[in-house]
Amino acid sequence: MAAEFRMELLPSDPLLHILSFLDLRDLIHISSTNRRLNELSKHNPLWRSLCSKHWLIKEEERLQSGHSWYELFKQYYADLGRYIKYYSVLKRAWEQLTTFLRQSCPRMIASLKEGATEADLSSIEAQIGCRLPDDYRCSYRIHNGQMLVIPGLMGSMSLSNHYRSEVLVDVETAAGGFQLRKGMRRCLPLTFCFHTGLSQYMALEHSEGRRMFESFYPCPDQTAQDPSAVDMFITGSSFLEWFTTYVNNVVTGEYPIIRDQIFRYVHDKSCVTTTGDITVSVSTSFLPELSSVHPPHFFFTYRIRIEMSSSAPPEVACQLDSRYWKITTSDGNVEEVQGPGVVGEFPVMTPGKVHEYASCTTFSTPSEYMEGHYTFHRLDSKEVFNVAIPRFQMVCPPFREPVLRTVSKEEATAKRNLDKAPNLPRQESGDYTSGFNDGDDSDCGNGDDYNSLRGINMAALEGAWCHRHI
């Protein structure tokens, strides 16, 4: 009792200052130690900080609710407590994404669906017979994907004769596409493209060479005797990583916005070079729907921007005549390609003008890099000169084979001859704007990484303090 009496004599301000350094778990635990700390632990500024940290609640939202910060925290915790590890990260990502879309892709905002309820998500789990990871559930509590419309939230790609736009499917549509067949057992679709039929999937168990909760593009193994053999291009180790990485690329401008759509070209800031008054920059994109691991066939598209400085004098106006490429694959083979124009065009460059085009290449090794130059001539003097194209590398995503895979005789022969095989022929396609269409090993682990917060007794703050000595 003497120790408790001394606690009562301590002034409130230093005690509150000490409590402000505690995390949620410690604050709730310390509220059970004696009556004085129980009372102080309900101090509203403490819960304002926790509401901001875990639920991203602002003052105007609290005022509108009519609750104290402490009451508001309890309200959110009762509804979303199991997601406390993920909620603030995913909520912030969704807020950043929707803010960006309102400014850059306004028609996409209308396609986003309201969040699903806990009952909705539990019903889906019962339907598919498997637990959904909590980061996935948390995101779908905020937005239940989008309606099945074009353009898709998860990015587009267009060449002259090929178009892809991936929709983030709602949880009901995902459940309808849940896979039980051999080769794709217990895989849930995350995205869908109307034009290609392509989907990214999330594995809900360790099975068939997949790791639980990683996301991937399936790629049929065309050389295996077993038709259910499916290779995988890995796109993320968890839903949280997959989604937040994509959002970050969108909102930071990593992905360009073209015709009100997000294009998944990746631009390496080092892939820029300037020759005289002309700057050339390059971005690249891997196309899984046109690629395969077996046989090795990796398809990339690259987007090139050629810009003449607006401060250049008029007499430096010029026209592109030809292109030269030096292509080096990861196994050391070098190929040189030279031809007239770019994708059939011979652009004229004047001060301030920008010319952009997209082309593509295929190769049989997991990575390669390209570099080269354009040849121009001045319009007035006919002077001929070269403009450097920066070196840029194209690397396919990590890929994995299924655990059990029967190799065909043809593949065994192909593997022996792989080093002697020439590179696949290269091609250039039309401008990217020409193809737009407006129109643990348990069976079903749940990934309970939030266990460290489970068991927190919010009722401890209601005065049910435990009499202890400090």
Side-chain angles (χ1 to χ4, degrees), residues 101 105-113 146-147 149:
L101 293 177
C105 306
R107 67 173 171 157
M108 206 178 289
I109 283 287
S111 72
L112 298 182
K113 303 182 74 171
Q146 67 175 139
M147 293 180 282
V149 297

Side-chain angles (χ1 to χ4, degrees), residues 181-184 208 210 218-232 294 400-407 411:
R181 61 187 173 91
K182 184 180 178 184
M184 289 289 290
E208 300 173 322
R210 290 179 293 274
C219 177
D221 188 329
Q222 302 172 34
T223 62
Q225 292 177 345
D226 186 347
S228 67
V230 177
D231 298 311
M232 297 151 276
H294 298 99
R400 191 176 305 125
E401 301 175 0
V403 171
L404 298 176
R405 179 172 176 272
T406 306
V407 179
E411 185 190 18

Side-chain angles (χ1 to χ4, degrees), residues 406-419:
T406 306
V407 179
S408 67
K409 293 181 180 179
E410 291 80 6
E411 185 190 18
T413 302
K415 282 188 173 182
R416 288 194 296 270
N417 296 332
L418 182 60
D419 291 337

Side-chain angles (χ1 to χ4, degrees), residues 327-363:
I327 305 158
T328 306
T329 60
S330 57
D331 58 8
N333 288 327
V334 177
E335 181 182 356
E336 295 181 283
V337 177
Q338 191 162 2
V342 288
V343 292
E345 297 183 335
F346 301 85
V348 173
M349 302 301 298
T350 55
K353 182 174 179 180
V354 174
H355 180 80
E356 294 182 305
Y357 73 94
S359 187
C360 55
T361 182
T362 59
F363 48 98

Side-chain angles (χ1 to χ4, degrees), residues 272-287:
V272 179
T273 187
T274 299
T275 304
D277 297 303
I278 298 178
T279 297
V280 178
S281 60
V282 186
S283 54
T284 63
S285 183
F286 176 70
L287 273 64

Side-chain angles (χ1 to χ4, degrees), residues 79 111 160 165 328 338 379 392 429 455:
D79 183 31
S111 72
S160 60
S165 188
T328 306
Q338 191 162 2
L379 296 183
F392 58 97
S429 65

